[in-house]
Amino acid sequence: MPLASLGARAETLARPVTMIVPFAAGGPTDVLARILAEYMRNSLGHPVVIENITGASGTVAGLRAARAAPDGSTITIGHWGTHCLNGAIYQLQYDVREFEPIALIASGPQLIIGRPDLPAQNLKDLVSWLKANADKATSGTAGPGSGAHVAGVFFQQLTQTNFSFVPYRGAGPVLNDLMAGHIDVMFDQASNSLPQVKSGTVKAFAVTAPARLAAAPEIPTVDEAGVPGLYIAYWHGIWAPKGTPPEMVSVLSKAVMAALAEPAVRARFAELGQDIPPPDKQGPAALRSHQTAEIDKWWPIVKSANIKAE
């Protein structure tokens, strides 16, 4: 069937597309999903309905998406944790590499942040302080195997530091305890902690990317701050169940890319500290290549540190 014909048919489908979000409403991933869904309907001609399915770091939603009918009516949004790290941490009933890639939508680096009264004034100071306080320094995480945990392990490997990880039920409680001074440092999505950085309730030491954030140009990169190569990004993508026809993947991919080209979407993503890749780096092949490269990088780090879900 010619793509143009299929595209026309997709615009008149009676039922909406369901986008599975593996986290609770209001979180960073959910916000991105809802922004995209609003504008994807312009191309598809019908709504994209958000379905939040929480639990086990996104693996409950992953199984739901993997078992959905591969007919284009179900897609899922995910990120570095759900479609990379989880494959090394959990014994899954599905393979994170077997979803049909639709589009790479954005990449948001982490911030290395600390409690407001931490003595360190920059990243080099922080490394020195952590080495001097290895017996009592703490870093909060959203649980074993979470992005904050894996990022902290990577940081330890590159800086030869040692500190304790304190697991929480989510990033929100970690950030609250960091602001209150109950823990020392946190590796957090920039989109989640930028408001606190700007208000001065937490201290930012570096952004884990080779370039500064447009939304916070005053925060140095890890290269500038003295720990070169500490690149960690919560990249997000859209996938469909394995076996979804290529023609339908193309229709969905074009709808996502059209939404990403909207000035309002680009402005909103920028406010959230999310960098949208150029169009030639957004499509299915680009997402598959990026996911594969991230798996090749992070699975050995996770396994060497013996990080397992608890």
Side-chain angles (χ1 to χ4, degrees):
M1 180 180 295
L3 180 59
S5 175
L6 184 63
R9 189 182 70 174
E11 292 179 356
T12 59
L13 288 177
R15 57 180 175 173
V17 172
T18 295
M19 184 188 297
I20 296 173
V21 177
F23 302 102
T29 301
D30 179 74
V31 171
L32 297 181
R34 292 177 188 275
I35 294 171
L36 279 180
E38 179 183 352
Y39 286 87
M40 284 177 65
R41 69 179 299 163
N42 295 340
S43 298
L44 297 176
H46 52 80
V48 177
V49 179
I50 301 299
E51 182 179 358
N52 297 94
I53 301 178
T54 63
S57 298
T59 61
V60 176
L63 183 59
R64 159 80 169 82
R67 291 179 173 175
D71 58 6
S73 65
T74 302
I75 58 177
T76 184
I77 187 172
H79 59 42
W80 172 55
T82 61
H83 285 71
C84 175
L85 300 182
N86 282 357
I89 294 167
Y90 289 86
Q91 292 185 341
L92 301 175
Q93 299 180 53
Y94 59 93
D95 191 331
V96 297
R97 298 166 294 188
E98 291 188 349
F99 288 97
E100 303 293 346
I102 292 176
L104 180 64
I105 62 173
S107 181
Q110 288 190 322
L111 294 180
I112 303 172
I113 57 178
R115 54 182 167 85
D117 59 346
L118 198 67
Q121 298 302 312
N122 54 54
L123 190 57
K124 288 185 177 180
D125 286 351
L126 177 62
V127 171
S128 298
W129 185 87
L130 290 170
K131 289 180 177 179
N133 294 273
D135 57 334
K136 61 181 182 181
T138 56
S139 177
T141 77
S146 64
H149 183 199
V150 174
V153 169
F154 189 39
F155 177 88
Q156 288 178 329
Q157 292 179 357
L158 291 187
T159 60
Q160 298 183 327
T161 54
N162 187 31
F163 45 84
S164 299
F165 292 103
V166 182
Y168 290 76
R169 293 183 64 85
V174 182
L175 194 55
N176 288 336
D177 267 12
L178 186 71
M179 291 187 287
H182 300 316
I183 55 174
D184 299 310
V185 296
M186 180 184 182
F187 299 82
D188 192 29
Q189 293 186 63
S191 58
N192 190 51
S193 52
L194 267 180
Q196 285 71 31
V197 171
K198 290 183 177 297
S199 66
T201 53
V202 299
K203 183 180 293 186
F205 296 104
V207 57
T208 60
R212 295 194 180 200
L213 282 174
E218 70 280 3
I219 302 175
T221 69
V222 286
D223 295 339
E224 296 168 332
V227 187
L230 183 66
Y231 303 146
I232 310 163
Y234 263 95
W235 49 271
H236 280 79
I238 306 287
W239 289 264
K242 179 183 178 181
T244 299
E247 297 85 356
M248 185 58 72
V249 168
S250 178
V251 169
L252 292 166
S253 178
K254 288 180 178 180
V256 175
M257 293 175 67
L260 292 174
E262 291 283 349
V265 172
R266 301 185 71 83
R268 188 74 181 98
F269 272 41
E271 291 173 0
L272 296 170
Q274 298 290 319
D275 291 325
I276 297 175
D280 63 336
K281 301 295 184 182
Q282 293 174 6
L287 175 55
R288 186 179 298 280
S289 177
H290 187 76
Q291 182 186 20
T292 299
E294 287 287 273
I295 286 172
D296 290 345
K297 173 182 176 177
W298 291 105
W299 280 18
I301 293 172
V302 169
K303 293 176 180 179
S304 67
N306 198 32
I307 298 173
K308 297 183 182 299
E310 296 181 4

